[in-house]
Amino acid sequence: MSRIDYSKWDNIDTDSDTELKPEPKPKPKSEPKPKPNTAPTPPAPQAAVGSAQTATPANEGKIPAVILRCEKEKQNHPPWSAVNLASDHLAFEENPVSPISALIEVPLMLHRVHSQFKNQWEQDNQIATYLMIDPITGFAPPQWQSWVGTVLAVRADRKPLLPHHLEGVWMYCDRILDIFGDGNGAPQHLYNRKAFEEWWEGYARTQKRNRPGKGGDTDPDDWRAVKSPYEM
């Protein structure tokens, strides 16, 4: 897998004016059969949601989550940012759980909210693809490799999901992919809570030193007081 361009994290702005609203549940669609070295047929368009509202204490009763934007939307918005969702939002219903996140006991569900762009590159979402890799093969299912679109990430246990925790699980998946890339097979020893906790401690310590930020829990670059995802 290609390395991540960390320059995209510079000057991330998490401000937004409107709140995500529950969207109509899309009709079931059949997934196309994967073909070697070809992109799956794009899914039929779904209803778009409004722009994200930054999570604040004023949004009492809402559940903090994270929006992961596709390549096209990242041209005008941050790659990811905090949002608040109603507890009955479709994101908390039957959506796929990131396999690695389930193994490390920070279960993340991904819910697609956009599919209206015409080109594959516009709808690519590398973070979502990394989160959906299979622990044995190191590959994401075809439907999560391209035409992914913008995604809402929530915790399946309905606990608050901070941008920092989302980043941590994503970068842990990136580490796992590096091991696959070295030809060493599935790193089974990393597929448990203890292994992630040890990794998280070092990762968070480095981010606290290098990314002081100023926006609190909703600022992906403010690591000053970030808790472990197991303390939420």
Side-chain angles (χ1 to χ4, degrees):
M1 303 292 294
S2 60
R3 299 298 299 158
I4 297 168
D5 182 1
Y6 293 95
S7 66
K8 293 180 180 178
W9 295 359
D10 293 339
N11 301 318
I12 289 179
D13 176 15
T14 59
D15 290 339
S16 183
D17 298 323
T18 58
E19 180 178 348
L20 283 170
K21 299 179 180 179
E23 56 180 326
K25 185 177 296 184
K27 296 181 180 179
K29 309 177 185 69
S30 58
E31 295 290 348
K33 295 182 179 180
K35 298 180 180 179
N37 300 317
T38 60
T41 302
Q46 299 179 28
V49 298
S51 58
Q53 178 182 10
T54 301
T56 66
N59 290 306
E60 186 176 357
K62 304 286 185 173
I63 301 178
V66 178
I67 186 169
L68 306 174
R69 295 182 174 88
C70 64
E71 290 298 319
K72 181 65 174 179
E73 291 197 341
K74 287 194 303 185
Q75 294 179 347
N76 300 309
H77 302 282
W80 71 93
S81 56
V83 296
N84 285 309
L85 301 180
S87 60
D88 61 350
H89 193 281
L90 291 177
F92 295 104
E93 296 191 11
E94 295 182 4
N95 285 294
V97 176
S98 159
I100 299 296
S101 74
L103 292 172
I104 62 176
E105 299 180 29
V106 188
L108 304 183
M109 290 197 302
L110 302 187
H111 175 70
R112 297 183 182 189
V113 295
H114 285 297
S115 298
Q116 78 272 33
F117 300 119
K118 297 179 180 180
N119 300 312
Q120 177 184 327
W121 74 266
E122 294 177 312
Q123 296 201 63
D124 282 346
N125 191 325
Q126 187 185 63
I127 299 177
T129 299
Y130 276 35
L131 290 172
M132 294 305 295
I133 61 170
D134 181 270
I136 304 302
T137 67
F139 290 98
Q143 64 270 29
W144 288 98
Q145 292 181 19
S146 56
W147 298 101
V148 176
T150 291
V151 169
L152 286 172
V154 300
R155 286 187 55 148
D157 54 14
R158 292 177 181 260
K159 293 182 179 180
L161 175 62
L162 302 183
H164 318 79
H165 298 157
L166 183 284
E167 178 184 329
V169 178
W170 163 40
M171 294 308 300
Y172 197 66
C173 291
D174 178 63
R175 180 192 179 196
I176 290 169
L177 284 171
D178 281 342
I179 296 174
F180 274 108
D182 292 337
N184 296 321
Q188 301 279 0
H189 63 287
L190 297 180
Y191 297 162
N192 58 80
R193 172 172 171 168
K194 181 179 179 181
F196 180 74
E197 283 184 303
E198 292 176 353
W199 177 88
W200 168 267
E201 182 178 350
Y203 185 79
R205 182 168 55 248
T206 299
Q207 306 314 311
K208 289 176 188 292
R209 181 171 62 247
N210 297 330
R211 297 162 67 186
K214 59 182 180 180
D217 286 348
T218 63
D219 181 358
D221 266 334
D222 187 350
W223 282 76
R224 294 172 299 174
V226 175
K227 299 179 180 179
S228 162
Y230 302 109
E231 296 179 309
M232 304 305 290

